[in-house]
Amino acid sequence: MHWWTSGGEARAVDTLKQMMQKQGDTWKDFAVAGGAGEAAMTVLKTRAVSGNPPSAAQLKGPDIQEWAGMGFLTDLNGIADAGKWDSIMPKRIAETMKHDGDYVAVPAGVHRINWLWINPEAFQKAGAKVPTTLDEFFEAADKLKAAGIVPIAHGGQNWQDTTIFESLVMAMMGPEDYHKAFVETDEDTLRSDKMVEVFKTFKRIRNYIDPDAAGRDWNLATAMVINGKAGMQIMGDWAKAEFTAANKTPGKDYLCVVMPGTQGDFIYNIDSLAMFKLKNEANKKAQQDLARTVIDKPFQEVFNLNKGSIPVRNDIDMAKFDDCAKQSMKDFQAANDSGKAEPSLAHSMANTSYIQGAVFDVITNFFNDANADPKKATEQLVASIKAAQ
Ligand code: GAL
């Protein structure tokens, strides 16, 4: 069970289907559309509670621990030991896959959130310069707007709003405060003057999106950048998979630029599959095959080439990857060492689904209300998170 239904995502998941079928396993696809997986998680709960969980489901971050804590997940320690999982991937990834020291999920790839996708032709038409700071970002947006191009392709959905918001938090407050706000939910940080400034800046974004943004799927927003209707999009690198699927070349047809102000920082989102406890022996064997396949080098390469993410293993030859992926790999490794890697809240990595939902509500209500007050929004953030704790 997964939510990989866009053009690029479907191509990526198809690589897994093919590898499984080659081994004689049966692939039953259970895709629940909806970026970032909120709808999929609702369906998963219904299935699991009624005693009919899928063999494997896309589950991420703290949700993995939550499901394992309730006793739903089977451990993968045998395969993990044989495959030396502890030593082939960064500790940060391994820990996310474990519950009480047991592996209960297998990681597929690492996405970076803080990217800006640019159509260089649109920039050229508008006389806009590729931004490296937030000021330059808004200058470019003004130029695009003046040229009649939608400056920022956006889909008005809670997780997309929060994808932009968390990138601004990283840009304006830095990794330490990002951590305090979203991982520790520290009240002083959440209601700080700096956070008020983030809300103010977030509000400015509204001036640069088109009137039809409400409810738009993320991949349709990416399509606007691909076809030049829009100049840029702030989105994780699953967006790259859409460019790849459209046969576009990075550096030429489109640019991947680190979100201005977050150079060296890395908001990460690890995709992973968790395995549910099953009774049927054949299905159990298929689960083991799946876990082994996902971590094996051939899958890590071909899946991530198609998905826009980077391999979770330290020992993959990056020769076939493009410059965006190479930069992502380099930045992820450096950020892991320097403490500048932080988990995405919008993508269920930083906190529980309850806290995430509480933040989503405040961010999206704020974004949709032209008269919303930034200072009040920070207080709402504190109150809403408290109520969810
Ligand atoms: C993320 C997921 C990605 C991508 C994206 C859009 O949460 O980790 O793999 O699919 O949602 O659906």
Side-chain angles (χ1 to χ4, degrees), residues 294-312:
V294 167
I295 205 71
D296 272 355
K297 284 183 177 180
F299 176 78
Q300 284 289 317
E301 182 180 82
V302 70
F303 175 78
N304 287 298
L305 278 170
N306 282 290
K307 188 68 170 64
S309 37
I310 54 171
V312 300

Side-chain angles (χ1 to χ4, degrees), residues 141 238 267 385:
W238 46 93
I267 307 179
I385 287 175

Side-chain angles (χ1 to χ4, degrees), residues 34-274:
E38 209 178 331
M41 287 303 104
T42 306
V43 175
L44 181 62
K45 279 176 201 148
T46 312
R47 278 192 63 166
V49 167
S50 61
N52 177 33
S55 303
Q58 188 182 357
L59 260 190
K60 299 193 306 184
D63 280 353
I64 297 173
Q65 276 75 44
E66 204 178 304
W67 281 93
M70 292 186 297
F72 279 104
L73 305 184
T74 187
D75 87 65
L76 305 169
N77 289 340
I79 298 170
D81 282 349
K84 301 197 173 63
W85 288 14
D86 275 340
S87 60
I88 57 170
M89 62 179 106
K91 196 158 180 255
R92 185 188 291 282
I93 300 180
E95 290 309 314
T96 310
M97 301 303 124
K98 288 181 187 176
H99 175 255
D100 278 350
D102 296 326
Y103 277 101
V104 289
V106 58
V110 180
H111 278 298
R112 183 184 207 173
I113 307 299
N114 51 319
W115 279 120
L116 182 65
W117 306 94
I118 286 182
N119 181 315
E121 213 179 286
F123 263 57
Q124 210 186 0
K125 262 193 218 152
K129 185 176 142 242
V130 175
T132 57
T133 63
L134 279 182
D135 285 344
E136 288 177 7
F137 170 77
F138 285 110
E139 276 164 34
D142 280 329
K143 290 239 164 95
L144 289 160
K145 197 173 178 177
I149 298 165
V150 177
I152 302 168
H154 183 59
Q157 295 176 349
N158 57 14
W159 70 270
Q160 292 188 63
D161 298 340
T162 307
T163 295
I164 296 183
F165 187 83
E166 70 182 20
S167 290
L168 291 177
V169 168
M170 188 57 108
M172 299 175 68
M173 299 174 67
E176 266 176 44
D177 278 355
Y178 178 104
H179 192 87
K180 278 194 201 151
F182 292 147
V183 181
E184 294 170 16
T185 58
D186 171 61
E187 286 191 22
D188 291 342
T189 311
L190 290 167
R191 58 158 68 93
S192 63
D193 293 345
K194 284 191 213 161
M195 192 61 90
V196 177
E197 289 306 311
V198 173
F199 273 102
K200 280 187 193 160
T201 307
F202 186 46
K203 190 171 214 166
R204 284 179 75 189
I205 301 271
R206 288 170 50 97
N207 304 325
Y208 303 101
I209 63 176
D210 69 314
D212 301 327
R216 177 188 284 135
D217 286 331
W218 66 271
N219 51 314
L220 300 182
T222 308
M224 291 168 67
V225 181
I226 295 177
N227 64 31
K229 193 167 181 250
M232 24 184 196
Q233 182 184 21
I234 299 168
M235 185 51 66
D237 39 22
W238 46 93
K240 196 182 77 182
E242 299 302 300
F243 288 96
T244 309
N247 274 320
K248 302 290 181 192
T249 311
K252 185 173 138 269
D253 304 316
Y254 69 98
L255 310 178
C256 54
V257 177
V258 176
M259 176 66 188
T262 70
Q263 290 88 347
D265 302 326
F266 199 107
I267 307 179
Y268 65 86
N269 169 22
I270 306 165
D271 275 327
S272 46
L273 299 174

Side-chain angles (χ1 to χ4, degrees), residues 305-380:
L305 278 170
N306 282 290
K307 188 68 170 64
S309 37
I310 54 171
V312 300
R313 300 175 63 122
N314 299 319
D315 57 355
I316 302 286
D317 179 1
M318 293 295 286
K320 284 196 194 143
F321 286 82
D322 60 30
D323 289 345
C324 307
K326 282 181 186 144
Q327 181 176 359
S328 188
M329 186 58 116
K330 197 173 121 243
D331 287 356
F332 185 54
Q333 283 166 348
N336 270 332
D337 294 339
S338 63
K340 289 180 170 181
E342 289 297 335
S344 166
L345 181 82
H347 297 278
S348 313
M349 298 297 302
N351 222 307
T352 62
S353 52
Y354 312 105
I355 303 283
Q356 183 198 44
V359 177
F360 277 5
D361 285 349
V362 176
I363 304 290
T364 287
N365 288 338
F366 177 86
F367 198 62
N368 290 338
D369 176 3
N371 300 316
D373 176 53
K375 175 98 184 92
K376 252 194 214 147
T378 61
E379 290 303 335
Q380 282 162 351

